[in-house]
Amino acid sequence: MREGRFPEGCVLVVGGSGGIGAAVAKCFADAGTDVAITYYSKPAVAGRVRDEIGALGRKATSHRVDVRDPGEVEVVIDQAIAEHGRIHTVIWGAGPLVDQQILADTTHEQWRRAIDVEVHGFFNVVKAALPHFRTSGGGSFVTLGSAGHDRWPDKDGLSVAPKAANESLVRGIAREEGRHNIRANSVLVGVIEAGMFLELTRQGVFSQEWVDEVQKQLALKRWGCPEEIGHAAVFLASREAAYVTGQTISVSGGFGI
């Protein structure tokens, strides 16, 4: 464990009960900071992640929130501050299981749900966290975006398009809030053996033909590990990246190059 990488307080991992979010939360604990995680529908998973972080010697709390509700988001921000004294970093990793559809077959309902959770949800969190960051001397946002920004992955538009909106928000936050020592960056997530990818694989969504085609597009011929997302997020949130803002790191095995 390295000391001094983060200020006192906690990282708030929004979506910390997901496969990737849980690994990110534990990477932050291992890097030397306390953690608050949020969940929506998986209290047992959130509790397990909280206990695993506690076993690493860090304080951990879990909080239920519907990110579509600004009032609930504000309550959770206040709870995390009350429990930990300060939030120094917000990780945005929330999102629903994404239906794999080409755009022509995407329904209005599917589109509205994706935008409501991913884009409105992220804005709600940013809006609630910014006043705290400003009065605390700064802070950091790190979003978990999509490597699909570099090369469009067919049928994944319900994930890529909302995350692209968030990438613009990240740049806006970096530009407007830098004067308050507030940074914002993104990790572009490739195919990771955790969370949504494993669930959709279990459902039979990805054929062998799909696997073979995606593997051809990777420079590194394997799927990623969730901890590899966590390591990138830790770097962007840490003091080592104190002069980095408005940037992306693609953790995708070279997808799109």
Side-chain angles (χ1 to χ4, degrees):
M1 183 179 72
R2 298 178 62 182
E3 297 292 338
R5 299 183 77 182
F6 304 99
E8 292 299 316
C10 75
V11 55
L12 176 65
V13 182
V14 184
S17 63
I20 294 177
V24 169
K26 285 182 276 189
C27 283
F28 271 94
D30 192 53
T33 186
D34 294 340
V35 182
I37 65 170
T38 79
Y39 66 94
Y40 176 59
S41 60
K42 300 176 181 177
V45 175
R48 186 183 73 237
V49 175
R50 182 190 62 224
D51 293 345
E52 290 172 352
I53 292 171
L56 294 172
R58 307 304 314 189
K59 180 178 178 179
T61 58
S62 59
H63 312 264
R64 186 191 182 278
V65 66
D66 183 343
V67 295
R68 297 169 294 184
D69 186 324
E72 288 194 21
V73 172
E74 291 171 2
V75 167
V76 164
I77 294 287
D78 289 343
Q79 288 175 346
I81 295 168
E83 289 276 2
H84 298 274
R86 177 185 176 184
I87 299 170
H88 59 71
T89 297
V90 171
I91 304 296
W92 173 258
L97 189 67
V98 177
D99 297 322
Q100 300 294 290
Q101 299 264 49
I102 63 170
L103 294 174
D105 293 339
T106 299
T107 68
H108 293 289
E109 181 182 5
Q110 288 172 323
W111 179 259
R112 281 192 295 267
R113 179 171 180 255
I115 295 296
D116 209 18
V117 174
E118 293 255 22
V119 182
H120 297 163
F122 178 52
F123 179 79
N124 290 340
V125 171
V126 170
K127 182 75 171 173
L130 277 176
H132 173 64
F133 280 176
R134 285 183 173 187
T135 59
S136 299
S140 174
F141 294 98
V142 180
T143 67
L144 305 187
S146 172
H149 301 323
D150 294 328
R151 186 181 190 279
W152 183 267
D154 293 343
K155 297 186 178 182
D156 201 30
L158 286 169
S159 175
V160 177
K163 287 180 170 62
N166 285 350
E167 292 304 319
S168 291
L169 285 170
V170 163
R171 290 174 61 84
I173 296 163
R175 178 67 181 172
E176 295 179 0
E177 298 296 325
R179 69 195 69 184
H180 302 292
N181 196 34
I182 296 169
R183 300 184 299 111
N185 295 286
S186 297
V187 177
L188 303 185
V189 179
V191 181
I192 304 297
E193 285 192 291
M196 187 174 69
F197 173 67
L198 291 183
E199 176 59 25
L200 292 176
T201 298
R202 186 188 66 78
Q203 293 178 11
V205 171
F206 300 128
S207 65
Q208 187 59 48
E209 181 182 6
W210 180 92
V211 170
D212 294 342
E213 181 61 28
V214 174
Q215 288 277 343
K216 289 178 184 177
Q217 297 168 20
L218 300 180
L220 302 176
K221 301 302 182 181
R222 64 173 177 85
W223 304 137
C225 302
E227 292 78 13
E228 291 171 315
I229 304 300
H231 298 324
V234 165
F235 166 71
L236 288 173
S238 72
R239 288 194 171 103
E240 288 133 328
Y243 204 51
V244 177
T245 194
Q247 304 302 309
T248 61
I249 294 178
S250 183
V251 183
S252 61
F255 179 81
I257 62 174

